[in-house]
Amino acid sequence: MSGKHFNVHEVGCCIKYFIFGFNIIFWLLGAAFLSVALWAWSEKGVLSNISSITDLGGFDPVWLFLVVGGVMFVLGFAGCIGALRENAFLLKFFSVFLGIIFFLELTAGVLAFVFKDWIKDQLKFFINNNIRAYRDDIDLQNLIDFTQDYWECCGAFGPEDWNLNIYFNCTDTNLSREKCGVPFSCCTKDPAEDVINTQCGYDIRAKDDNEQKMFIHTKGCVPQFEKWLQENLTVVAGIFIGIALLQIFGICLAQNLLSDIEAVRESW
């Protein structure tokens, strides 16, 4: 009986388990992000009253956790299970989904460069809209305070933007103690103070500009962000290039594994 030689293809174990290990991290991180988002909504009573999601006039930071967590969870699941079970459909879904995200990021980057002035106007509108809703949501309030404190800024283009908020405006009908003031995150820090003075911004906008500069940051967050971006352009560009290369690498690995799976099936 004459012997026959069969050219048997095998799925590369290294690629398979590398994709599995890489994506299980994303899967778990996505689950963690979603858990934090749901916990935050539970603490704010949103889960018991779903209609309250639309009540907030500004941006709810929880949405960021939900979107990022959801994308990471779905991608991680598809890549992890697709590699482990050698499921061609899930691996194709993983590759296409990752490719779409990469294309959207590339498109957003090009549009942001071409329409810089429009982006600047939208950023101003976004910040001012959230200034109006500053006291409506604790997460939004913390986000604004962190932004103003980190970039040493106040308002979108200056402290006067806080006139948009019903608690901080200078109108005669405003009976709030915060009238004509700004949040404490606008205040300049005193190294000698160990405890944050949350009342440091009271009545500050009733003073003249020179006196304001002694107690609060008078530069807006939009120009401060532009300045920060210019100073850290290399780091920011490096991060985006790194993410892009990681996405391309993931697509290539998934396609390589798909080729191995199809070759094995054809050999049978």
Side-chain angles (χ1 to χ4, degrees), residues 123-141:
L123 187 58
K124 177 186 176 182
F125 173 79
F126 175 78
I127 294 174
N128 285 340
N129 194 44
N130 286 298
I131 283 175
R132 293 186 182 93
Y134 177 73
R135 292 295 189 201
D136 296 349
D137 183 81
I138 188 62
D139 293 326
L140 174 62
Q141 183 175 311

Side-chain angles (χ1 to χ4, degrees), residues 160-189:
E160 289 304 313
D161 289 329
W162 281 98
N163 220 38
L164 297 169
N165 187 278
I166 59 173
Y167 299 101
F168 293 99
N169 66 47
C170 297
T171 58
D172 295 334
T173 55
N174 184 10
L175 302 178
S176 169
R177 180 62 189 87
E178 296 174 313
K179 177 181 178 180
C180 255
V182 292
F184 71 93
S185 53
C186 285
C187 298
T188 55
K189 290 181 179 179

Side-chain angles (χ1 to χ4, degrees), residues 108-127:
V110 172
L111 291 176
F113 180 77
V114 174
F115 301 103
K116 288 184 287 187
D117 292 335
W118 182 84
I119 294 293
K120 190 175 180 179
D121 291 338
Q122 292 303 307
L123 187 58
K124 177 186 176 182
F125 173 79
F126 175 78
I127 294 174

Side-chain angles (χ1 to χ4, degrees), residues 23 70-82 87-101 250-251 254-255 258:
N23 280 283
V71 170
M72 290 177 68
F73 185 84
V74 171
L75 266 179
F77 174 82
C80 183
I81 303 301
N87 188 301
F89 173 78
L90 286 177
L91 286 172
K92 287 177 182 177
F93 174 81
F94 173 79
S95 298
V96 172
F97 197 6
L98 203 57
I100 291 172
I101 293 173
I251 293 171
Q255 289 300 315
L258 267 171

